[in-house]
Amino acid sequence: MKPLVVVTRNIPRISLDLLKPHFKIDYYERDRAIPRKDLLKRVKNADGVLCLLTEKIDAEFFDAAPKCRIVATFSVGLDHVDLPEATRRGVLVTHTPGVLTETCADFTFALLLSSARRIVEGDRMMRADKYPGWDPLMLLGTDVFGKTIGVIGFGRIGQAVARRAVGFGMKTLYADVQPVFPEIERSLNARRVEMDELFRDSDFVCVHTVLDASTKHLVNEARLKSMKRSAYLINAARGPIVDEKALVKALKQGWIRGAALDVYEREPKTEPGLTKLPNVVLAPHLASASLETREGMGNLAAASLVEFLILGGPPKNLANKDVIPKGRSATLSVGA
Ligand code: GLV
């Protein structure tokens, strides 16, 4: 009998087609997150689950899915997954790094440029038929080229953002627990600094770190106050890294000039007052949303399920590399 895989939301057709020959599929084919109760009921007999970042994969989930041996999340972020709990229960967790790096970096730059150069405000003016004709003082933004960008979290996406910054003649300051190799720093015109220096000296502060207990509200009132009044905050990582209440205050009171956000503290809700502010660009969590990349993510997630449940080997992009799979006595041997 074919193993049962639960797919918790609409995914690209091409990725679903990769699963079809191998699995019995329970497909929640909707464009909304699956209700929790429904999810817990459906996973009862599942051997594997392809989920999204909207599903909490926690102890309650694992209790409801006693046969589940692998969870493949259609996301690079893992903050919705209790990884230690998965490992303890012998459940493999895979995610989708790599395929979305350049797409997310493009989007970060799109946010940066549209906030600095006031593109969204201009678009609103045109659509409202309020363009009075060329005016030397209308919608003045701020230059991007030659400025300093501060990158919090200098992993794949952070470095891809810095590569783009090189093209704009920008200097990069970065904060990360690990320094990168000196030759990478040189090629990216990047320098590792303490977090406080990054906030103080950057013209654009871009958030690219993971969300965990140590990064929740990393961008708080004190740090926003320490930024240049001419600076911008860009967040396309995870909402709770920024204290959204403090950000609304900062934007209202002019502690910083502007912000651009793709993610929110209580997604899909936003902090009261945020959507009324003219000096913030707001996107609905779109950083990886190109057709090619979403297909790439879906295919990676689907491939992990096939690699493990059908071929019995280690799946690519295993997040809990020390897991001992249910029913086996040793970890899978996976390459780094
Ligand atoms: C998107 O936010 C992701 O984690 O892939």
Side-chain angles (χ1 to χ4, degrees):
M1 214 169 54
K2 287 179 175 179
L4 172 66
V5 163
V6 172
V7 178
T8 64
R9 176 98 70 102
N10 265 347
I11 61 168
R13 172 71 37 195
I14 188 176
S15 313
L16 193 73
D17 287 347
L18 288 179
L19 295 172
K20 275 185 184 157
H22 306 287
F23 301 111
K24 189 168 164 228
I25 300 171
D26 181 354
Y27 189 23
Y28 189 77
E29 196 177 356
R30 310 274 171 85
D31 58 3
R32 289 279 179 277
I34 186 170
R36 182 75 177 171
K37 250 169 70 190
D38 216 345
L39 173 72
L40 297 182
K41 207 156 85 197
R42 281 175 186 243
V43 296
K44 185 164 177 251
N45 291 309
D47 299 285
V49 174
L50 194 158
C51 74
L52 287 97
L53 54 82
T54 37
E55 279 81 65
K56 266 231 148 332
I57 306 299
D58 55 8
E60 184 187 43
F61 170 91
F62 294 120
D63 285 345
K67 297 188 183 156
C68 180
R69 296 162 58 213
I70 175 168
V71 174
T73 179
F74 186 118
S75 65
V76 65
L78 286 160
D79 46 286
H80 57 300
V81 180
D82 185 340
L83 265 190
E85 187 62 26
T87 306
R88 201 175 66 71
R89 302 206 187 208
V91 179
L92 282 73
V93 176
T94 67
H95 63 144
T96 61
V99 282
L100 46 59
T101 302
E102 304 299 335
T103 304
C104 290
D106 280 353
F107 196 79
T108 300
F109 246 84
L111 288 175
L112 188 157
L113 288 165
S114 47
S115 55
R117 299 304 308 274
R118 307 183 68 173
I119 292 171
V120 177
E121 288 170 86
D123 180 84
R124 276 193 215 113
M125 177 190 276
M126 294 303 294
R127 289 170 197 274
D129 218 5
K130 292 211 168 125
Y131 173 42
W134 191 83
D135 178 332
L137 299 181
M138 188 179 73
L139 286 180
L140 298 184
T142 189
D143 279 332
V144 172
F145 71 91
K147 295 280 176 72
T148 297
I149 184 169
V151 180
I152 300 173
F154 213 46
R156 292 186 192 84
I157 298 175
Q159 290 180 41
V161 167
R163 276 201 297 282
R164 283 151 181 79
V166 171
F168 281 79
M170 299 173 92
K171 190 165 87 182
T172 294
L173 303 178
Y174 73 95
D176 200 300
V177 281
Q178 296 276 4
V180 296
F181 291 116
E183 48 281 23
I184 297 180
E185 287 192 348
R186 269 194 299 280
S187 71
L188 297 179
N189 194 19
R191 186 164 63 86
R192 184 165 173 245
V193 293
E194 293 299 326
M195 197 65 82
D196 289 347
E197 186 178 341
L198 184 147
F199 276 90
R200 193 188 63 219
D201 292 350
S202 301
D203 299 300
F204 299 93
V205 172
C206 294
V207 181
H208 294 291
T209 186
V210 294
L211 169 65
D212 60 24
S214 71
T215 59
K216 177 150 197 261
H217 283 191
L218 182 147
V219 183
N220 56 21
E221 191 162 320
R223 288 204 161 118
L224 287 164
K225 277 191 171 143
S226 75
M227 288 170 69
K228 298 182 189 180
R229 287 177 77 87
S230 56
Y232 292 77
L233 176 79
I234 318 294
N235 185 12
R238 283 291 183 268
I241 299 169
V242 175
D243 178 346
E244 214 167 287
K245 205 181 262 312
L247 178 63
V248 168
K249 227 160 129 187
L251 291 168
K252 267 191 185 153
Q253 298 182 12
W255 305 348
I256 59 175
R257 187 173 293 164
L261 306 175
D262 189 39
V263 288
Y264 305 89
E265 241 193 293
R266 288 167 290 277
E267 244 169 80
K269 292 192 178 14
T270 56
E271 178 66 23
L274 188 70
T275 58
K276 301 283 180 284
L277 295 169
N279 52 346
V280 61
V281 171
L282 304 170
H285 206 148
L286 292 178
S288 66
S290 73
L291 185 60
E292 300 92 323
T293 289
R294 288 286 163 86
E295 287 184 352
M297 293 166 74
N299 292 353
L300 259 191
S304 312
L305 293 163
V306 175
E307 282 157 1
F308 180 60
L309 289 176
I310 303 300
L311 304 176
K316 276 195 282 294
N317 304 321
L318 185 60
N320 51 348
K321 293 200 180 352
D322 51 344
V323 66
I324 298 176
K326 271 181 190 172
R328 301 204 195 169
S329 56
T331 54
L332 285 158
S333 146
V334 281

